[in-house]
Amino acid sequence: MTQTITNVFVVMLENHSFDNIFAMSGIPGIRAATTADSNTYDGKTYRVKDGAPPAMTTDPGHEFEDVIEQLCGKDAACKYLNGKGGAYPAIDRSGFAHNYATSTSEDTGRPAAGHIGDIMACFHTPTQLPVIHQLATEFAICDAWHSSLPGPTWPNRFFVHGASSAGMTVSPGLWNEVEWESFDGFKYANGSIYDRLNATGHKWRLYIDCDNAFSDDPSGPEYGGWISQAASLKNIHLWDVHRLAKFQADVNAPAYRDVRYTFIEPNFGKSFFAKQGAAPGPTYKGGSAQHPEDDPSGGEGLLKFVYETIRNAPLWDTSLLIITYDEHGGFYDHVVPCAAPAPGGKDPDNGKDLNPYNFDFQTYGVRVPAVIVSPFVPKGTVDHTRYDHASALATVERILGIGPLTARDADANDVRHLLSLPAPRTDCPATLVAPLKYPPVPSPAENSDAPLPSCGNAIGFLQVLLKAELALADDAAARAAIAAAFLSLKTHADARGYVARLYAMIEEKRAALSSR
């Protein structure tokens, strides 16, 4: 029986595989790696093990090239990449340890020999991640939710907004993205879910942990963790994304029942503009995204806040909360990704070289954690249904009776079948356990004079700011001056100054809109 749902909420965290989060959870019935699973590197065997470190010493690779090596092995990856694509190679999951030991794609250095096996380690979920463990055991855990493509953060997050990445498989680059960001944002052939909701008369909301309220070592706004990735989309600006600090008051207002879809982003911490120390990449600490180099307490705190807000609001009895992660972040997972339907259609021009290896989008990415929360979900449900990020959109579309955006969400399974109880449960906890407090890990010394990278998260989020600044400009001459100044940003210090200035501008715009 599918129950009446008035409000769908989605929270998307970052960069963990299903096995990394749940294999050692002890939850009965899930498909999980065991200590018999292993990878080898340089003649040494690294087995799956319990008790993952709270923070990785270096950021595991998760670019498109990294994931091919992780899933298919070094030799298969070289053949595929040198051949410029074609059919995805056979997947044997043999390259996770090798890739972690050797990849430099994230610019955070290579792990010491004693830490290579961390890529195979899995959290002891009940003790290390008590919040998501409680949610998974109180409601439904999905053990076949895959990232939408075997690649990095940005294209996977685009899938959750448009059931497609519009042909993108790589992280943003300075020169191949600046053209579209300079005009009106990332475009889909059939628009985003927000365009579709607008066209069909349904209200939606975007939120981000702008104030970094949950980290045990919060980074300041000059580090850019408040910049919304969703604001890179056409027709969405940073001032359209609400502060999560307003979420509790908003959801408790009677009018929020009319907000049919809500998407929530974490604070990305120092993901962009705090240099790693000796390595050129950033430190990735001090947010609520659960980035691998940050301890998971911030993300646990965010999940606790979001759940408790919805649970204790008037709309709880008709709500659905989907929690998932954008991609696997380089961590081992023992399940082979299966074939996927390509989104189809002609991709709009969002820049150059967005799919340099001619990937056909017919293979899902690695499994990621997913938990489905609603008073209509029986306690302790384990779901083996195949999903990807388009499933979140398919769920909203079918609840509201609106059509799909692409062939991917048209094919996607939705989660409505999990809402099987005839009436809302009365035993759902009003509060959750507290996140585990981890001992602080000192950040390496920063080098503000370090040059900005040519591609990656920092570039993508800087371009979101550029898009916003151009939209606030008065005329063509002002926009030309803004674009020229943007291209003069060279160092981490330049970037932090730009971020701080734009933060003040965006806050002023939000304040003006809220006073109307």
Side-chain angles (χ1 to χ4, degrees):
M1 180 184 299
T2 299
Q3 302 298 341
T4 299
I5 295 295
T6 59
N7 302 86
V8 178
F9 301 85
V10 174
V11 175
M12 179 171 274
L13 300 180
E14 281 209 300
N15 296 27
H16 289 278
S17 71
F18 181 90
D19 277 336
N20 177 245
I21 295 292
F22 282 122
M24 298 298 158
S25 66
I27 297 175
I30 63 171
R31 292 180 291 181
T34 72
T35 54
D37 292 296
S38 66
N39 268 196
T40 60
Y41 167 68
D42 198 25
K44 184 174 180 179
T45 298
Y46 296 92
R47 295 192 179 278
V48 167
K49 59 184 178 180
D50 200 353
M56 299 292 278
T57 56
T58 60
D59 187 24
H62 47 275
E63 292 297 323
F64 187 81
E65 299 92 332
D66 294 308
V67 184
I68 292 177
E69 183 169 290
Q70 291 158 9
L71 288 175
C72 309
K74 178 184 176 182
D75 294 338
C78 291
K79 183 177 180 181
Y80 180 91
L81 297 170
N82 290 334
K84 294 295 182 182
Y88 206 76
I91 296 173
D92 61 9
R93 312 169 316 285
S94 65
F96 287 86
H98 183 280
N99 182 261
Y100 185 48
T102 61
S103 175
T104 58
S105 64
E106 306 306 321
D107 283 337
T108 59
R110 292 175 175 168
H115 285 287
I116 294 171
D118 293 349
I119 205 67
M120 308 293 291
C122 307
F123 287 99
H124 187 257
T125 325
T127 57
Q128 292 183 281
L129 302 171
V131 174
I132 199 168
H133 182 267
Q134 186 177 11
L135 289 169
T137 53
E138 283 286 346
F139 299 99
I141 182 171
C142 303
D143 67 2
W145 192 296
H146 287 258
S147 50
S148 290
L149 78 157
T153 290
W154 279 68
N156 272 297
R157 283 186 174 264
F158 282 139
F159 260 91
V160 84
H161 301 305
S164 167
S165 64
M168 186 180 194
T169 61
V170 295
S171 292
L174 180 59
W175 300 111
N176 64 11
E177 241 76 45
V178 71
E179 296 175 2
W180 58 261
E181 291 283 8
S182 298
F183 291 99
D184 57 359
F186 189 87
K187 299 180 285 290
Y188 298 97
N190 300 317
S192 70
I193 186 62
Y194 313 105
D195 295 324
R196 180 63 55 84
L197 292 170
N198 286 338
T200 53
H202 296 295
K203 294 182 179 180
W204 51 271
R205 277 287 183 95
L206 295 167
Y207 288 90
I208 190 167
D209 177 18
C210 191
D211 299 295
N212 210 356
F214 310 103
S215 173
D216 51 10
D217 182 25
S219 57
E222 70 274 17
Y223 290 103
W226 57 274
I227 305 171
S228 165
Q229 193 271 342
S232 65
L233 304 181
K234 181 179 179 180
N235 299 326
I236 295 177
H237 292 292
L238 282 167
W239 47 87
D240 298 320
V241 184
H242 298 262
R243 311 176 80 96
L244 195 60
K246 295 181 57 185
F247 183 64
Q248 191 171 54
D250 291 347
V251 170
N252 278 280
Y256 210 88
R257 282 195 184 272
D258 294 331
V259 180
R260 305 306 303 273
Y261 181 60
T262 302
F263 185 81
I264 300 169
E265 293 177 277
N267 189 288
F268 297 101
K270 294 184 178 180
S271 299
F272 318 126
F273 311 118
K275 183 163 177 310
Q276 182 74 217
T283 62
Y284 292 103
K285 296 183 188 298
S288 56
Q290 290 191 341
H291 194 281
E293 284 191 294
D294 197 10
D295 75 57
S297 63
E300 287 265 287
L302 184 146
L303 294 182
K304 176 179 168 69
F305 171 77
V306 170
Y307 168 80
E308 291 176 357
T309 296
I310 300 168
R311 168 64 182 87
N312 296 296
L315 49 64
W316 165 248
D317 282 351
T318 54
S319 290
L320 168 66
L321 169 62
I322 298 172
I323 299 166
T324 190
Y325 289 66
D326 52 20
E327 39 97 359
H328 75 297
F331 290 101
Y332 178 79
D333 192 88
H334 83 287
V335 170
V336 174
C338 61
K346 180 176 173 57
D347 293 324
D349 182 12
N350 282 319
K352 302 173 184 177
D353 300 323
L354 299 186
N355 187 9
Y357 302 111
N358 302 309
F359 177 60
D360 61 10
F361 292 90
Q362 294 185 39
T363 302
Y364 288 113
V366 178
R367 279 193 315 169
V368 292
V371 174
I372 310 301
V373 175
S374 173
F376 290 107
V377 173
K379 181 174 180 174
T381 299
V382 175
D383 182 21
H384 305 307
T385 306
R386 182 262 298 158
Y387 303 108
D388 81 314
H389 300 328
S391 295
L393 303 187
T395 300
V396 176
E397 291 158 0
R398 292 165 196 171
I399 286 173
L400 297 178
I402 60 179
L405 296 167
T406 72
R408 180 65 71 87
D409 55 330
D411 174 81
N413 293 310
D414 66 71
V415 304
R416 293 178 300 163
H417 66 100
L418 296 174
L419 310 171
S420 60
L421 294 177
R425 287 167 49 189
T426 59
D427 65 342
C428 303
T431 59
L432 298 179
V433 296
L436 180 65
K437 292 184 178 180
Y438 290 91
V441 177
S443 296
E446 295 178 22
N447 179 358
S448 296
D449 294 329
L452 287 169
S454 61
C455 64
N457 286 334
I459 299 305
F461 283 86
L462 280 173
Q463 290 163 358
V464 174
L465 296 181
L466 172 63
K467 173 175 173 275
E469 188 177 18
L470 290 168
L472 292 172
D474 295 327
D475 52 38
R479 288 192 290 274
I482 288 167
F486 177 82
L487 293 174
S488 72
L489 300 177
K490 302 298 183 185
T491 68
H492 285 252
D494 293 341
R496 285 207 299 276
Y498 184 64
V499 172
R501 183 169 66 83
L502 265 293
Y503 180 77
M505 290 178 64
I506 300 305
E507 286 301 289
E508 182 178 352
K509 178 69 173 180
R510 281 186 177 134
L513 290 173
S514 65
S515 66
R516 292 180 181 177

